[in-house]
Amino acid sequence: DDDAFDVVAQFAKQFFPDQKGAMYVVNNSRNLLEMVAKWGSQRGTTSSLGEQVFGPDDCWALRRGRVHTVSETNDRLRCRHLSRSDRSHRLEEVESYPYLCIPMIAQSETMGLFHLKLTAGPNIQAAEQIAIAIAERTALALANLKLRESLHAQAIRDPLTGLFNRRYMEETLEREMRRAIRYQRPMGIIMVDIDHFKIFNDTFSYAAGDALL
């Protein structure tokens, strides 16, 4: 994922060379968004990109499920994740620059948020269209990465315990054996077994055995 985030930041720099922005992704618990990429020069500016971690309710785009554009600095519907400090969420403490927030949605799931600080002028609409296109494609790419990671985890982990399975062991064992030979180092293997577990299953049922595992 880190490589994908770096790619997004590089492309964003090319599309928006004079504008700052950031991308956030939803965490596994789906209760926070975390900044994973940012771009734009920080020199000569007094405003930041807001908080690096915030809740979905702090962004109007996420609350409404659609693009939120603030073109006027006195707009009252400013997102609270642009707070100047981590502790303040008062509206008067929220950065007042024009900006754009785009929810990144793919397969009916919110993957994150695309935030762009806008430069006042007639090109705001053009910047919005480009940003929306980038956000849509990035959301789809993140969804595909998430699916691939899920399928990979299912292939190498036991669904009951979450431990690595025999397939993973065989792949890893071959790699480590080759490494040991290459560096002429010893390699140790530890095997663990649960004695008489079949008796437990026969006595208390396989469901109880699964719970115990």
Side-chain angles (χ1 to χ4, degrees):
D1 287 354
D2 291 341
D3 292 338
F5 301 148
D6 291 340
V7 170
V8 172
Q10 291 298 323
F11 272 100
K13 287 180 182 178
Q14 297 178 20
F15 283 108
F16 308 106
D18 301 321
Q19 295 161 305
K20 294 195 299 181
M23 186 177 75
Y24 305 81
V25 296
V26 179
N27 66 350
N28 292 333
S29 300
R30 307 201 61 79
N31 63 339
L32 292 173
L33 284 95
E34 303 173 1
M35 182 186 293
V36 294
K38 63 180 179 179
W39 57 90
S41 174
Q42 304 293 320
R43 296 179 181 178
T45 59
T46 58
S47 61
S48 67
L49 291 171
E51 299 181 11
Q52 294 192 3
V53 180
F54 60 90
D57 288 342
D58 291 331
C59 179
W60 279 103
L62 297 175
R63 292 173 66 178
R64 302 163 71 187
R66 57 189 179 89
V67 178
H68 181 65
T69 305
V70 172
S71 56
E72 302 292 337
T73 57
N74 60 352
D75 194 317
R76 301 298 294 176
L77 292 182
R78 285 177 278 146
C79 299
R80 297 187 183 276
H81 61 86
L82 303 181
S83 171
R84 292 192 181 96
S85 72
D86 291 337
R87 294 187 297 271
S88 175
H89 285 279
R90 294 176 300 179
L91 189 60
E92 60 268 21
E93 292 296 327
V94 173
E95 294 285 5
S96 58
Y97 58 76
Y99 68 90
L100 183 69
C101 278
I102 306 172
M104 294 162 46
I105 302 173
Q107 301 172 359
S108 302
E109 181 180 356
T110 300
M111 309 300 299
L113 178 73
F114 189 93
H115 174 77
L116 183 67
K117 178 181 178 181
L118 297 172
T119 301
N123 297 324
I124 287 183
Q125 187 174 3
E128 179 177 339
Q129 293 176 351
I130 296 174
I132 290 175
I134 294 176
E136 290 177 347
R137 286 161 176 75
T138 302
L140 184 58
L142 292 179
N144 290 335
L145 283 174
K146 184 177 180 180
L147 177 60
R148 187 176 67 179
E149 291 176 357
S150 177
L151 294 175
H152 179 66
Q154 292 176 21
I156 64 174
R157 287 187 180 273
D158 173 62
L160 177 63
T161 62
L163 298 175
F164 289 115
N165 58 19
R166 178 174 175 173
R167 176 179 178 180
Y168 178 82
M169 183 200 70
E170 292 175 346
E171 294 176 355
T172 304
L173 186 60
E174 181 179 359
R175 182 177 67 248
E176 293 304 320
M177 288 179 64
R178 292 180 180 274
R179 181 177 297 170
I181 294 172
R182 183 167 63 251
Y183 293 105
Q184 297 184 351
R185 295 176 179 174
M187 184 180 72
I189 299 176
I190 300 175
M191 297 187 67
V192 180
D193 189 21
I194 303 176
D195 293 335
H196 314 299
F197 195 70
K198 184 178 184 304
I199 298 177
F200 185 91
N201 282 335
D202 293 341
T203 304
F204 300 102
S205 79
Y206 285 96
D210 289 348
L212 177 61
L213 288 175

mmCIF file of all heavy atoms in Angstrom, residues 50-76:
data_model
loop_
_atom_site.group_PDB
_atom_site.id
_atom_site.type_symbol
_atom_site.label_atom_id
_atom_site.label_comp_id
_atom_site.label_asym_id
_atom_site.label_seq_id
_atom_site.Cartn_x
_atom_site.Cartn_y
_atom_site.Cartn_z
ATOM 1 N N GLY A 50 -4.258 20.465 8.026
ATOM 2 C CA GLY A 50 -5.133 20.006 9.093
ATOM 3 C C GLY A 50 -4.578 18.795 9.804
ATOM 4 O O GLY A 50 -3.386 18.516 9.781
ATOM 5 N N GLU A 51 -5.460 18.062 10.443
ATOM 6 C CA GLU A 51 -5.059 16.937 11.273
ATOM 7 C C GLU A 51 -4.709 15.716 10.418
ATOM 8 O O GLU A 51 -5.300 15.479 9.374
ATOM 9 C CB GLU A 51 -6.182 16.598 12.245
ATOM 10 C CG GLU A 51 -6.526 17.741 13.178
ATOM 11 C CD GLU A 51 -7.636 17.378 14.145
ATOM 12 O OE1 GLU A 51 -7.978 16.189 14.217
ATOM 13 O OE2 GLU A 51 -8.144 18.282 14.804
ATOM 14 N N GLN A 52 -3.770 14.936 10.905
ATOM 15 C CA GLN A 52 -3.372 13.732 10.187
ATOM 16 C C GLN A 52 -4.300 12.561 10.481
ATOM 17 O O GLN A 52 -4.371 11.615 9.693
ATOM 18 C CB GLN A 52 -1.925 13.366 10.538
ATOM 19 C CG GLN A 52 -0.913 14.398 10.058
ATOM 20 C CD GLN A 52 0.509 13.894 10.148
ATOM 21 O OE1 GLN A 52 0.752 12.751 10.515
ATOM 22 N NE2 GLN A 52 1.461 14.753 9.812
ATOM 23 N N VAL A 53 -4.996 12.612 11.601
ATOM 24 C CA VAL A 53 -5.961 11.570 11.963
ATOM 25 C C VAL A 53 -7.237 12.254 12.450
ATOM 26 O O VAL A 53 -7.173 13.158 13.276
ATOM 27 C CB VAL A 53 -5.409 10.645 13.073
ATOM 28 C CG1 VAL A 53 -6.441 9.576 13.430
ATOM 29 C CG2 VAL A 53 -4.109 9.986 12.629
ATOM 30 N N PHE A 54 -8.379 11.838 11.914
ATOM 31 C CA PHE A 54 -9.642 12.440 12.337
ATOM 32 C C PHE A 54 -10.781 11.451 12.105
ATOM 33 O O PHE A 54 -10.625 10.431 11.424
ATOM 34 C CB PHE A 54 -9.910 13.765 11.609
ATOM 35 C CG PHE A 54 -9.987 13.624 10.108
ATOM 36 C CD1 PHE A 54 -11.203 13.370 9.474
ATOM 37 C CD2 PHE A 54 -8.852 13.754 9.323
ATOM 38 C CE1 PHE A 54 -11.283 13.244 8.095
ATOM 39 C CE2 PHE A 54 -8.920 13.634 7.941
ATOM 40 C CZ PHE A 54 -10.134 13.377 7.325
ATOM 41 N N GLY A 55 -11.937 11.763 12.663
ATOM 42 C CA GLY A 55 -13.105 10.910 12.519
ATOM 43 C C GLY A 55 -13.923 11.280 11.288
ATOM 44 O O GLY A 55 -13.861 12.413 10.810
ATOM 45 N N PRO A 56 -14.704 10.344 10.766
ATOM 46 C CA PRO A 56 -15.518 10.625 9.576
ATOM 47 C C PRO A 56 -16.469 11.801 9.749
ATOM 48 O O PRO A 56 -16.761 12.511 8.779
ATOM 49 C CB PRO A 56 -16.285 9.314 9.363
ATOM 50 C CG PRO A 56 -15.450 8.269 10.015
ATOM 51 C CD PRO A 56 -14.824 8.943 11.193
ATOM 52 N N ASP A 57 -16.953 12.029 10.958
ATOM 53 C CA ASP A 57 -17.898 13.125 11.189
ATOM 54 C C ASP A 57 -17.250 14.495 11.086
ATOM 55 O O ASP A 57 -17.958 15.509 11.054
ATOM 56 C CB ASP A 57 -18.556 12.971 12.566
ATOM 57 C CG ASP A 57 -19.541 11.815 12.595
ATOM 58 O OD1 ASP A 57 -19.965 11.364 11.516
ATOM 59 O OD2 ASP A 57 -19.880 11.353 13.703
ATOM 60 N N ASP A 58 -15.913 14.541 11.050
ATOM 61 C CA ASP A 58 -15.220 15.823 10.961
ATOM 62 C C ASP A 58 -15.120 16.332 9.531
ATOM 63 O O ASP A 58 -14.588 17.420 9.307
ATOM 64 C CB ASP A 58 -13.814 15.714 11.555
ATOM 65 C CG ASP A 58 -13.843 15.533 13.063
ATOM 66 O OD1 ASP A 58 -14.797 16.025 13.689
ATOM 67 O OD2 ASP A 58 -12.917 14.901 13.611
ATOM 68 N N CYS A 59 -15.608 15.562 8.566
ATOM 69 C CA CYS A 59 -15.524 15.964 7.160
ATOM 70 C C CYS A 59 -16.919 15.987 6.552
ATOM 71 O O CYS A 59 -17.650 14.988 6.602
ATOM 72 C CB CYS A 59 -14.628 14.998 6.383
ATOM 73 S SG CYS A 59 -14.486 15.400 4.620
ATOM 74 N N TRP A 60 -17.291 17.113 5.961
ATOM 75 C CA TRP A 60 -18.617 17.237 5.358
ATOM 76 C C TRP A 60 -18.774 16.311 4.151
ATOM 77 O O TRP A 60 -19.864 15.810 3.880
ATOM 78 C CB TRP A 60 -18.859 18.686 4.935
ATOM 79 C CG TRP A 60 -19.282 19.570 6.070
ATOM 80 C CD1 TRP A 60 -18.514 20.479 6.736
ATOM 81 C CD2 TRP A 60 -20.567 19.604 6.691
ATOM 82 N NE1 TRP A 60 -19.247 21.079 7.739
ATOM 83 C CE2 TRP A 60 -20.520 20.562 7.723
ATOM 84 C CE3 TRP A 60 -21.764 18.913 6.474
ATOM 85 C CZ2 TRP A 60 -21.603 20.851 8.535
ATOM 86 C CZ3 TRP A 60 -22.856 19.202 7.291
ATOM 87 C CH2 TRP A 60 -22.769 20.162 8.296
ATOM 88 N N ALA A 61 -17.714 16.069 3.415
ATOM 89 C CA ALA A 61 -17.797 15.183 2.255
ATOM 90 C C ALA A 61 -18.154 13.758 2.682
ATOM 91 O O ALA A 61 -18.977 13.093 2.040
ATOM 92 C CB ALA A 61 -16.471 15.189 1.500
ATOM 93 N N LEU A 62 -17.564 13.299 3.779
ATOM 94 C CA LEU A 62 -17.848 11.953 4.271
ATOM 95 C C LEU A 62 -19.228 11.879 4.906
ATOM 96 O O LEU A 62 -19.930 10.871 4.789
ATOM 97 C CB LEU A 62 -16.768 11.522 5.265
ATOM 98 C CG LEU A 62 -15.351 11.410 4.697
ATOM 99 C CD1 LEU A 62 -14.360 11.088 5.798
ATOM 100 C CD2 LEU A 62 -15.295 10.368 3.591
ATOM 101 N N ARG A 63 -19.629 12.939 5.571
ATOM 102 C CA ARG A 63 -20.948 12.948 6.209
ATOM 103 C C ARG A 63 -22.064 12.951 5.170
ATOM 104 O O ARG A 63 -23.113 12.325 5.360
ATOM 105 C CB ARG A 63 -21.075 14.174 7.117
ATOM 106 C CG ARG A 63 -20.164 14.126 8.335
ATOM 107 C CD ARG A 63 -20.182 15.424 9.115
ATOM 108 N NE ARG A 63 -21.483 15.685 9.714
ATOM 109 C CZ ARG A 63 -21.735 16.744 10.484
ATOM 110 N NH1 ARG A 63 -20.775 17.638 10.724
ATOM 111 N NH2 ARG A 63 -22.939 16.917 10.981
ATOM 112 N N ARG A 64 -21.837 13.647 4.047
ATOM 113 C CA ARG A 64 -22.872 13.764 3.009
ATOM 114 C C ARG A 64 -22.722 12.727 1.909
ATOM 115 O O ARG A 64 -23.631 12.543 1.101
ATOM 116 C CB ARG A 64 -22.822 15.166 2.416
ATOM 117 C CG ARG A 64 -23.011 16.268 3.462
ATOM 118 C CD ARG A 64 -22.569 17.617 2.954
ATOM 119 N NE ARG A 64 -23.465 18.162 1.950
ATOM 120 C CZ ARG A 64 -23.215 19.267 1.265
ATOM 121 N NH1 ARG A 64 -22.082 19.929 1.453
ATOM 122 N NH2 ARG A 64 -24.080 19.712 0.376
ATOM 123 N N GLY A 65 -21.554 12.076 1.853
ATOM 124 C CA GLY A 65 -21.327 11.067 0.835
ATOM 125 C C GLY A 65 -21.142 11.626 -0.555
ATOM 126 O O GLY A 65 -21.379 10.933 -1.543
ATOM 127 N N ARG A 66 -20.684 12.861 -0.660
ATOM 128 C CA ARG A 66 -20.446 13.453 -1.982
ATOM 129 C C ARG A 66 -19.395 14.554 -1.869
ATOM 130 O O ARG A 66 -18.968 14.914 -0.768
ATOM 131 C CB ARG A 66 -21.734 14.011 -2.578
ATOM 132 C CG ARG A 66 -22.457 15.049 -1.750
ATOM 133 C CD ARG A 66 -23.817 15.342 -2.365
ATOM 134 N NE ARG A 66 -24.591 16.325 -1.614
ATOM 135 C CZ ARG A 66 -24.546 17.631 -1.802
ATOM 136 N NH1 ARG A 66 -23.747 18.141 -2.745
ATOM 137 N NH2 ARG A 66 -25.294 18.451 -1.087
ATOM 138 N N VAL A 67 -18.986 15.077 -3.014
ATOM 139 C CA VAL A 67 -17.934 16.089 -3.055
ATOM 140 C C VAL A 67 -18.357 17.329 -2.274
ATOM 141 O O VAL A 67 -19.498 17.794 -2.391
ATOM 142 C CB VAL A 67 -17.611 16.477 -4.515
ATOM 143 C CG1 VAL A 67 -16.537 17.566 -4.553
ATOM 144 C CG2 VAL A 67 -17.160 15.256 -5.298
ATOM 145 N N HIS A 68 -17.420 17.851 -1.488
ATOM 146 C CA HIS A 68 -17.690 19.082 -0.735
ATOM 147 C C HIS A 68 -16.660 20.128 -1.143
ATOM 148 O O HIS A 68 -15.460 19.952 -0.955
ATOM 149 C CB HIS A 68 -17.598 18.813 0.769
ATOM 150 C CG HIS A 68 -17.889 20.030 1.596
ATOM 151 N ND1 HIS A 68 -19.127 20.644 1.617
ATOM 152 C CD2 HIS A 68 -17.095 20.757 2.427
ATOM 153 C CE1 HIS A 68 -19.096 21.683 2.428
ATOM 154 N NE2 HIS A 68 -17.871 21.776 2.935
ATOM 155 N N THR A 69 -17.145 21.217 -1.736
ATOM 156 C CA THR A 69 -16.272 22.282 -2.211
ATOM 157 C C THR A 69 -16.508 23.544 -1.403
ATOM 158 O O THR A 69 -17.655 23.964 -1.213
ATOM 159 C CB THR A 69 -16.535 22.590 -3.698
ATOM 160 O OG1 THR A 69 -16.395 21.389 -4.463
ATOM 161 C CG2 THR A 69 -15.553 23.627 -4.220
ATOM 162 N N VAL A 70 -15.433 24.148 -0.931
ATOM 163 C CA VAL A 70 -15.501 25.432 -0.233
ATOM 164 C C VAL A 70 -14.692 26.424 -1.055
ATOM 165 O O VAL A 70 -13.463 26.352 -1.114
ATOM 166 C CB VAL A 70 -14.929 25.321 1.194
ATOM 167 C CG1 VAL A 70 -14.833 26.706 1.831
ATOM 168 C CG2 VAL A 70 -15.798 24.413 2.041
ATOM 169 N N SER A 71 -15.385 27.307 -1.747
ATOM 170 C CA SER A 71 -14.714 28.277 -2.613
ATOM 171 C C SER A 71 -14.562 29.642 -1.956
ATOM 172 O O SER A 71 -13.770 30.467 -2.411
ATOM 173 C CB SER A 71 -15.481 28.433 -3.933
ATOM 174 O OG SER A 71 -16.827 28.803 -3.681
ATOM 175 N N GLU A 72 -15.312 29.874 -0.890
ATOM 176 C CA GLU A 72 -15.235 31.145 -0.164
ATOM 177 C C GLU A 72 -14.643 30.905 1.215
ATOM 178 O O GLU A 72 -15.002 29.952 1.902
ATOM 179 C CB GLU A 72 -16.624 31.787 -0.024
ATOM 180 C CG GLU A 72 -17.316 32.059 -1.351
ATOM 181 C CD GLU A 72 -16.620 33.151 -2.151
ATOM 182 O OE1 GLU A 72 -15.915 33.972 -1.527
ATOM 183 O OE2 GLU A 72 -16.783 33.173 -3.380
ATOM 184 N N THR A 73 -13.759 31.792 1.642
ATOM 185 C CA THR A 73 -13.088 31.608 2.923
ATOM 186 C C THR A 73 -14.036 31.785 4.104
ATOM 187 O O THR A 73 -13.748 31.318 5.197
ATOM 188 C CB THR A 73 -11.927 32.609 3.066
ATOM 189 O OG1 THR A 73 -12.435 33.944 2.919
ATOM 190 C CG2 THR A 73 -10.865 32.353 2.019
ATOM 191 N N ASN A 74 -15.172 32.445 3.881
ATOM 192 C CA ASN A 74 -16.125 32.653 4.976
ATOM 193 C C ASN A 74 -17.252 31.618 4.968
ATOM 194 O O ASN A 74 -18.269 31.792 5.640
ATOM 195 C CB ASN A 74 -16.703 34.070 4.928
ATOM 196 C CG ASN A 74 -17.439 34.345 3.620
ATOM 197 O OD1 ASN A 74 -17.395 33.529 2.705
ATOM 198 N ND2 ASN A 74 -18.107 35.492 3.545
ATOM 199 N N ASP A 75 -17.095 30.579 4.182
ATOM 200 C CA ASP A 75 -18.103 29.517 4.121
ATOM 201 C C ASP A 75 -18.215 28.864 5.501
ATOM 202 O O ASP A 75 -17.216 28.460 6.102
ATOM 203 C CB ASP A 75 -17.710 28.479 3.072
ATOM 204 C CG ASP A 75 -18.870 27.555 2.715
ATOM 205 O OD1 ASP A 75 -19.576 27.127 3.639
ATOM 206 O OD2 ASP A 75 -19.046 27.250 1.516
ATOM 207 N N ARG A 76 -19.450 28.724 6.017
ATOM 208 C CA ARG A 76 -19.654 28.161 7.347
ATOM 209 C C ARG A 76 -19.556 26.642 7.347
ATOM 210 O O ARG A 76 -19.359 26.040 8.389
ATOM 211 C CB ARG A 76 -21.036 28.584 7.885
ATOM 212 C CG ARG A 76 -21.235 30.073 7.990
ATOM 213 C CD ARG A 76 -20.256 30.690 8.950
ATOM 214 N NE ARG A 76 -20.471 30.253 10.323
ATOM 215 C CZ ARG A 76 -19.694 30.592 11.343
ATOM 216 N NH1 ARG A 76 -18.626 31.348 11.134
ATOM 217 N NH2 ARG A 76 -19.956 30.165 12.565
#
